[in-house]
């Protein structure tokens, strides 16, 4: 920094302000500093700066997978909201494993993130204690916990399942199935399980059976999951309509129906979740329950910036909701 200040003919403080808060520096001085930075190839030592500012400039973002486009979009929304203020996400992936989430947290906390964003509200007791004691803002996303660790931005997966039940009933179906991953094992999709729980409650309250809510295979992160689950359902006699906990699985189920010569929606209606790009482009296009993954990330970033600035941010839980999108796969 002293080398840059000498070359630019300004004080080290002006160099520091230019790199940290450029709006506080005159355009002429800023241009001279940036030219000197480029000439010298200077890279600020954020670790050293963090010793005095207690800010490291990164936010821990913990998600179950990056193969699901919605989580990637959430990361993009978070980055777009926080990058203008100098924050970048450091991403950890859990593979839908509660135990792995704890491992990721223990690896990230020594690096002193300025905030933590974690998908879901189901944590091991140790992980929840780590989050509560982290001493930085914590936001749980993609769910609506009654008692968040700190803050939450998302929606009710349970209510999304109830909406799926009502939508398929309104379309005239009386034999309705729900397909999702198994509820056992190390890797579990708790949000998908909540959607199926909501579906089951919605069916029972309408006086319809829930015996075709099937839990098959591992967490629904592959097209094959939907194809295999649909094959199991068809082996049991099939259904008039099917709700799958992800558009990825719904696309796999659609392909399985086409391989078997089943017409969608004439022989079976298919409803997914997530409103992924593939569901908007396949034939027939997938009906779905749409959420706003970019909006979840952006709203989380805005919330964190307020908390990091010391603002009294309310409410503790931000519900961004969801909406039903009916396309050709349900008729």
């Amino acid at each position: 920094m002293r080398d840059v200040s000498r070359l630019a003919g300004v004080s080290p403080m002006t160099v520091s302000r230019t790199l940290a808060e450029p709006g506080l520096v005159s355009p002429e001085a800023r241009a001279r500093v940036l030219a000197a930075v480029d000439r010298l190839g200077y890279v600020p030592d954020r670790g050293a700066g963090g010793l005095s500012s207690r800010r490291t400039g990164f936010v821990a973002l913990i998600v179950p997978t990056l193969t699901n486009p919605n989580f990637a979009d959430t990361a993009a929304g978070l980055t777009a909201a926080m990058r203008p203020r100098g924050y970048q996400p450091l991403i950890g992936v859990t593979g839908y494993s509660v135990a792995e989430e704890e491992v990721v947290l223990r690896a990230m906390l020594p690096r002193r993130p300025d905030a933590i964003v974690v998908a879901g509200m189901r944590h091991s007791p140790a992980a929840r204690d780590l989050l509560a004691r982290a001493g930085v803002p914590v936001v749980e996303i993609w769910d609506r916990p009654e008692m968040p660790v700190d803050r939450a931005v998302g929606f009710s997966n349970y209510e999304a399942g109830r909406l799926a039940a009502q939508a398929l009933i309104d379309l005239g179906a009386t034999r309705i199935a729900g397909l999702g991953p198994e509820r056992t094992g190390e890797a579990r999709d708790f949000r998908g399980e909540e959607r199926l729980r909501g579906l089951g409650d919605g069916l029972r309250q309408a006086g319809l059976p829930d015996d075709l809510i099937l839990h098959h295979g591992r967490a629904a992160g592959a097209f094959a999951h939907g194809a295999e689950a649909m094959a199991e359902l068809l082996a049991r006699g099939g259904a008039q309509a099917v709700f799958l906990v992800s558009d990825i699985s719904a696309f796999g189920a659609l392909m399985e129906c086409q391989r078997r010569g089943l017409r969608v929606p004439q022989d079976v209606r298919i409803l997914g979740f997530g409103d992924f790009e593939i569901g908007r482009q396949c034939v027939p296009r997938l009906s779905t329950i749409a959420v706003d993954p970019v909006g979840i990330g952006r709203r989380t970033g805005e919330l964190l910036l307020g908390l990091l600035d010391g603002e009294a941010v309310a409410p503790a839980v931000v519900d961004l909701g969801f909406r039903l999108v009916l396309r050709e796969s349900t008729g």
Side-chain angles (χ1 to χ4, degrees):
M1 191 177 294
R2 285 192 298 270
D3 291 340
V4 172
S5 70
R6 282 194 294 267
L7 183 60
V10 298
S11 70
M13 180 59 71
T14 299
V15 176
S16 178
R17 286 176 177 168
T18 299
L19 298 176
E21 298 179 275
L24 299 179
V25 181
S26 70
E28 179 186 0
R30 184 165 63 245
R32 287 158 58 192
V33 169
L34 295 178
V37 166
D38 287 341
R39 181 174 172 184
L40 294 172
Y42 170 65
V43 177
D45 186 340
R46 297 299 183 194
L51 294 176
S52 59
S53 68
R54 293 189 173 274
R55 294 287 173 90
T56 57
F58 82 86
V59 173
L61 172 60
I62 302 174
V63 294
T65 178
L66 289 177
T67 61
N68 181 324
N70 278 349
F71 292 119
D73 287 345
T74 295
L78 178 70
T79 302
M82 302 196 74
R83 183 169 50 196
R85 292 281 299 277
Y87 292 97
Q88 292 286 351
L90 180 65
I91 299 176
V93 179
T94 68
Y96 291 94
S97 167
V98 170
E100 184 62 22
E101 178 187 84
E102 184 181 327
V103 171
V104 171
L105 268 173
R106 292 187 185 279
M108 285 189 166
L109 285 173
R111 292 166 172 79
R112 299 176 60 235
D114 292 328
I116 301 172
V117 180
V118 56
M121 62 183 186
R122 301 288 187 92
H123 317 289
S124 71
R128 189 173 184 86
D129 186 62
L130 287 170
L131 290 169
R133 295 174 179 272
V136 298
V138 175
V139 181
E140 294 163 285
I141 59 173
W142 279 88
D143 224 324
R144 194 185 67 186
E146 294 297 324
M147 297 183 64
V149 172
D150 183 6
R151 306 297 172 115
V153 176
F155 55 91
S156 171
N157 287 282
Y158 172 81
E159 293 298 336
R162 287 178 56 84
L163 174 61
Q166 190 60 55
L168 295 175
I169 291 170
D170 289 346
L171 288 167
T174 57
R175 190 69 172 148
I176 298 171
L179 303 180
E182 292 178 352
R183 293 175 290 180
T184 58
E186 176 56 37
R188 290 179 59 179
D189 180 3
F190 291 108
R191 290 169 296 282
E193 291 177 20
E194 280 293 289
R195 291 167 208 149
L196 288 189
R197 187 171 74 87
L199 177 78
D201 284 354
L203 294 177
R204 288 188 294 272
Q205 289 173 8
L208 298 177
D210 65 350
D211 57 307
L212 289 181
I213 295 181
L214 308 181
H215 298 270
H216 175 90
R218 297 188 59 192
F223 300 127
H225 173 269
E228 294 166 1
M230 177 59 80
E232 180 178 340
L233 173 64
L234 293 174
R236 299 190 183 199
Q240 294 173 310
V242 185
F243 170 60
L244 294 102
V245 299
S246 166
D247 277 1
I248 295 176
S249 293
F251 178 81
L254 174 64
M255 294 299 98
E256 183 67 18
C257 288
Q258 292 186 0
R259 281 190 289 269
R260 292 169 177 255
L262 293 175
R263 299 169 302 164
V264 178
Q266 293 90 339
D267 298 326
V268 58
R269 303 176 191 267
I270 294 179
L271 175 64
F273 177 91
D275 196 20
F276 295 170
E277 175 69 16
I278 193 169
R280 297 192 291 269
Q281 300 302 326
C282 63
V283 179
R285 295 184 303 159
L286 282 174
S287 294
T288 190
I289 296 175
V291 293
D292 183 4
V294 175
I296 290 174
R298 184 181 299 112
R299 185 67 184 89
T300 299
E302 294 167 351
L303 175 64
L304 286 175
L305 290 175
L307 293 170
L308 290 167
D309 287 343
E311 299 175 4
V313 179
V317 178
V318 179
D319 190 338
L320 296 183
F322 44 78
R323 60 190 175 89
L324 179 67
V325 179
L326 295 180
R327 301 189 181 107
E328 292 90 345
S329 71
T330 51

